[in-house]
Short mmCIF file of all heavy atoms in Angstrom, two decimals:
data_model
loop_
_atom_site.label_atom_id
_atom_site.label_comp_id
_atom_site.label_asym_id
_atom_site.label_seq_id
_atom_site.Cartn_x
_atom_site.Cartn_y
_atom_site.Cartn_z
N VAL E 33 2.18 2.05 -11.84
CA VAL E 33 3.28 1.10 -11.99
C VAL E 33 3.69 0.67 -10.59
O VAL E 33 4.04 1.51 -9.76
CB VAL E 33 4.47 1.74 -12.73
CG1 VAL E 33 5.64 0.78 -12.81
CG2 VAL E 33 4.05 2.21 -14.11
N GLU E 35 5.82 -2.00 -7.80
CA GLU E 35 6.74 -3.05 -7.40
C GLU E 35 5.91 -3.97 -6.53
O GLU E 35 5.10 -3.51 -5.72
CB GLU E 35 7.88 -2.50 -6.56
CG GLU E 35 8.89 -1.68 -7.32
CD GLU E 35 9.95 -1.16 -6.38
OE1 GLU E 35 10.63 -1.98 -5.73
OE2 GLU E 35 10.08 0.06 -6.28
N ASP E 38 5.83 -9.78 -2.31
CA ASP E 38 4.97 -10.94 -2.08
C ASP E 38 5.61 -12.00 -1.19
O ASP E 38 5.12 -13.12 -1.11
CB ASP E 38 4.52 -11.55 -3.41
CG ASP E 38 5.69 -11.99 -4.28
OD1 ASP E 38 6.85 -11.86 -3.85
OD2 ASP E 38 5.43 -12.45 -5.40
N ASP E 40 7.83 -12.47 2.87
CA ASP E 40 8.03 -11.78 4.15
C ASP E 40 9.16 -10.75 4.10
O ASP E 40 9.02 -9.65 4.63
CB ASP E 40 8.30 -12.80 5.27
CG ASP E 40 7.06 -13.60 5.64
OD1 ASP E 40 5.94 -13.16 5.31
OD2 ASP E 40 7.21 -14.67 6.25
N PHE E 49 14.16 3.33 3.41
CA PHE E 49 15.43 3.92 2.97
C PHE E 49 15.38 4.56 1.58
O PHE E 49 16.43 4.85 1.01
CB PHE E 49 16.57 2.88 3.02
CG PHE E 49 16.70 2.22 4.36
CD1 PHE E 49 16.38 0.88 4.53
CD2 PHE E 49 17.10 2.94 5.48
CE1 PHE E 49 16.48 0.27 5.77
CE2 PHE E 49 17.21 2.33 6.73
CZ PHE E 49 16.90 1.00 6.87
N HIS E 63 -0.63 -10.45 0.47
CA HIS E 63 -0.66 -11.32 1.66
C HIS E 63 -1.39 -12.61 1.33
O HIS E 63 -2.28 -12.62 0.48
CB HIS E 63 -1.34 -10.59 2.82
CG HIS E 63 -0.57 -9.41 3.33
ND1 HIS E 63 0.42 -9.52 4.25
CD2 HIS E 63 -0.63 -8.09 2.98
CE1 HIS E 63 0.93 -8.32 4.49
NE2 HIS E 63 0.32 -7.44 3.73
N GLU E 66 -6.68 -12.90 3.95
CA GLU E 66 -7.38 -11.66 4.30
C GLU E 66 -7.49 -11.62 5.82
O GLU E 66 -8.08 -12.52 6.43
CB GLU E 66 -8.77 -11.66 3.66
CG GLU E 66 -9.56 -10.41 3.95
CD GLU E 66 -10.94 -10.45 3.32
OE1 GLU E 66 -11.06 -10.01 2.17
OE2 GLU E 66 -11.87 -10.96 3.97
N ASP E 86 -9.58 -5.73 0.32
CA ASP E 86 -9.96 -7.08 0.75
C ASP E 86 -9.63 -8.11 -0.32
O ASP E 86 -9.04 -7.79 -1.36
CB ASP E 86 -11.44 -7.12 1.16
CG ASP E 86 -12.41 -6.86 0.01
OD1 ASP E 86 -12.00 -6.90 -1.18
OD2 ASP E 86 -13.60 -6.65 0.31
N ARG E 88 -11.44 -9.47 -2.44
CA ARG E 88 -12.10 -9.17 -3.72
C ARG E 88 -11.49 -7.94 -4.38
O ARG E 88 -12.01 -7.45 -5.37
CB ARG E 88 -13.61 -8.98 -3.51
CG ARG E 88 -14.31 -10.25 -3.02
CD ARG E 88 -15.82 -10.03 -2.84
NE ARG E 88 -16.08 -8.84 -2.03
CZ ARG E 88 -16.93 -7.87 -2.38
NH1 ARG E 88 -17.60 -7.92 -3.50
NH2 ARG E 88 -17.11 -6.83 -1.59
N LEU E 91 -11.46 -1.57 -2.00
CA LEU E 91 -10.84 -0.69 -1.02
C LEU E 91 -11.68 -0.69 0.26
O LEU E 91 -12.86 -0.35 0.23
CB LEU E 91 -10.74 0.73 -1.60
CG LEU E 91 -10.03 1.79 -0.77
CD1 LEU E 91 -8.60 1.37 -0.42
CD2 LEU E 91 -10.02 3.11 -1.52
N ASP E 105 11.84 1.53 16.30
CA ASP E 105 10.75 0.68 16.80
C ASP E 105 9.67 1.47 17.53
O ASP E 105 8.65 0.90 17.91
CB ASP E 105 11.32 -0.40 17.72
CG ASP E 105 12.12 -1.43 16.94
OD1 ASP E 105 11.97 -1.51 15.70
OD2 ASP E 105 12.91 -2.16 17.56
N PRO E 108 4.71 4.58 15.04
CA PRO E 108 3.36 4.03 15.23
C PRO E 108 2.93 3.15 14.06
O PRO E 108 3.44 3.29 12.95
CB PRO E 108 2.49 5.28 15.31
CG PRO E 108 3.24 6.31 14.52
CD PRO E 108 4.70 6.01 14.73
N SER E 112 -5.51 -1.27 9.32
CA SER E 112 -6.67 -1.25 8.44
C SER E 112 -7.93 -1.26 9.31
O SER E 112 -7.94 -1.82 10.40
CB SER E 112 -6.66 -2.48 7.52
OG SER E 112 -6.64 -3.68 8.27
N ALA E 113 -8.99 -0.64 8.80
CA ALA E 113 -10.26 -0.60 9.53
C ALA E 113 -11.06 -1.89 9.32
O ALA E 113 -12.05 -2.12 9.99
CB ALA E 113 -11.08 0.60 9.09
N ALA E 114 -10.61 -2.72 8.37
CA ALA E 114 -11.29 -3.98 8.05
C ALA E 114 -10.23 -4.97 7.58
O ALA E 114 -9.13 -4.55 7.19
CB ALA E 114 -12.33 -3.75 6.96
N VAL E 119 -2.31 -4.54 -0.03
CA VAL E 119 -2.02 -3.19 0.45
C VAL E 119 -1.24 -2.46 -0.63
O VAL E 119 -0.25 -2.99 -1.14
CB VAL E 119 -1.23 -3.23 1.77
CG1 VAL E 119 -0.96 -1.82 2.28
CG2 VAL E 119 -1.96 -4.05 2.84
N ASN E 123 2.48 7.63 -3.12
CA ASN E 123 2.93 8.89 -2.56
C ASN E 123 1.76 9.59 -1.87
O ASN E 123 0.63 9.55 -2.35
CB ASN E 123 3.50 9.80 -3.65
CG ASN E 123 4.89 9.39 -4.10
OD1 ASN E 123 5.77 9.17 -3.28
ND2 ASN E 123 5.08 9.28 -5.40
N GLU E 126 -1.89 11.19 -3.24
CA GLU E 126 -2.44 10.53 -4.42
C GLU E 126 -3.89 10.07 -4.19
O GLU E 126 -4.72 10.17 -5.09
CB GLU E 126 -1.57 9.35 -4.85
CG GLU E 126 -0.27 9.77 -5.50
CD GLU E 126 -0.51 10.52 -6.80
OE1 GLU E 126 -0.82 9.89 -7.83
OE2 GLU E 126 -0.41 11.77 -6.79
N ALA E 127 -4.20 9.55 -3.01
CA ALA E 127 -5.57 9.08 -2.73
C ALA E 127 -6.55 10.24 -2.85
O ALA E 127 -7.63 10.10 -3.43
CB ALA E 127 -5.65 8.44 -1.35
N ALA E 128 -6.17 11.40 -2.33
CA ALA E 128 -7.05 12.58 -2.44
C ALA E 128 -7.15 13.03 -3.89
O ALA E 128 -8.25 13.32 -4.38
CB ALA E 128 -6.52 13.71 -1.56
N MET E 130 -6.84 11.29 -6.58
CA MET E 130 -7.60 10.31 -7.36
C MET E 130 -9.04 10.19 -6.87
O MET E 130 -9.82 9.44 -7.43
CB MET E 130 -6.90 8.94 -7.28
CG MET E 130 -5.52 8.94 -7.93
SD MET E 130 -4.55 7.44 -7.55
CE MET E 130 -5.38 6.22 -8.57
N LYS E 131 -9.36 10.90 -5.79
CA LYS E 131 -10.71 10.87 -5.19
C LYS E 131 -11.12 9.43 -4.83
O LYS E 131 -12.23 8.99 -5.15
CB LYS E 131 -11.73 11.52 -6.12
CG LYS E 131 -11.47 13.00 -6.36
CD LYS E 131 -12.49 13.59 -7.31
CE LYS E 131 -12.35 15.08 -7.50
NZ LYS E 131 -11.03 15.58 -7.85
N LEU E 132 -10.22 8.72 -4.17
CA LEU E 132 -10.50 7.33 -3.82
C LEU E 132 -11.56 7.24 -2.74
O LEU E 132 -11.56 8.02 -1.79
CB LEU E 132 -9.22 6.63 -3.34
CG LEU E 132 -8.10 6.54 -4.38
CD1 LEU E 132 -6.93 5.74 -3.82
CD2 LEU E 132 -8.59 5.91 -5.69
N ASP E 134 -13.92 4.22 -0.40
CA ASP E 134 -14.03 2.81 -0.04
C ASP E 134 -14.99 2.12 -0.99
O ASP E 134 -15.99 2.70 -1.43
CB ASP E 134 -14.52 2.68 1.41
CG ASP E 134 -13.43 3.08 2.42
OD1 ASP E 134 -12.30 3.38 2.00
OD2 ASP E 134 -13.74 3.08 3.62
N GLY E 135 -14.66 0.87 -1.34
CA GLY E 135 -15.47 0.10 -2.26
C GLY E 135 -14.91 0.07 -3.67
O GLY E 135 -15.29 -0.78 -4.47
N LEU E 138 -9.50 -2.50 -7.13
CA LEU E 138 -8.12 -2.50 -7.62
C LEU E 138 -8.03 -3.60 -8.67
O LEU E 138 -8.34 -4.76 -8.40
CB LEU E 138 -7.16 -2.79 -6.47
CG LEU E 138 -5.68 -2.85 -6.80
CD1 LEU E 138 -5.17 -1.47 -7.23
CD2 LEU E 138 -4.89 -3.36 -5.59
N PHE E 140 -5.72 -5.84 -11.23
CA PHE E 140 -4.35 -6.30 -11.44
C PHE E 140 -4.08 -6.42 -12.92
O PHE E 140 -4.91 -6.92 -13.67
CB PHE E 140 -4.11 -7.66 -10.77
CG PHE E 140 -4.10 -7.63 -9.27
CD1 PHE E 140 -4.09 -8.80 -8.56
CD2 PHE E 140 -4.06 -6.45 -8.57
CE1 PHE E 140 -4.06 -8.82 -7.18
CE2 PHE E 140 -4.03 -6.43 -7.18
CZ PHE E 140 -4.03 -7.62 -6.49
N GLY E 141 -2.89 -6.02 -13.32
CA GLY E 141 -2.46 -6.21 -14.69
C GLY E 141 -1.77 -7.56 -14.84
O GLY E 141 -1.65 -8.32 -13.88
N PRO E 142 -1.31 -7.87 -16.05
CA PRO E 142 -0.62 -9.14 -16.26
C PRO E 142 0.63 -9.22 -15.40
O PRO E 142 1.28 -8.23 -15.14
CB PRO E 142 -0.26 -9.11 -17.76
CG PRO E 142 -0.65 -7.78 -18.27
CD PRO E 142 -1.40 -7.04 -17.23
#
Side-chain angles (χ1 to χ4, degrees):
V33 177
E35 288 178 60
D38 59 2
D40 289 341
F49 306 111
H63 293 275
E66 180 181 271
D86 65 14
R88 296 181 309 130
L91 184 57
D105 290 342
S112 58
V119 181
N123 283 311
E126 286 297 283
M130 296 168 73
K131 297 178 175 52
L132 298 184
D134 288 356
L138 180 66
F140 290 171

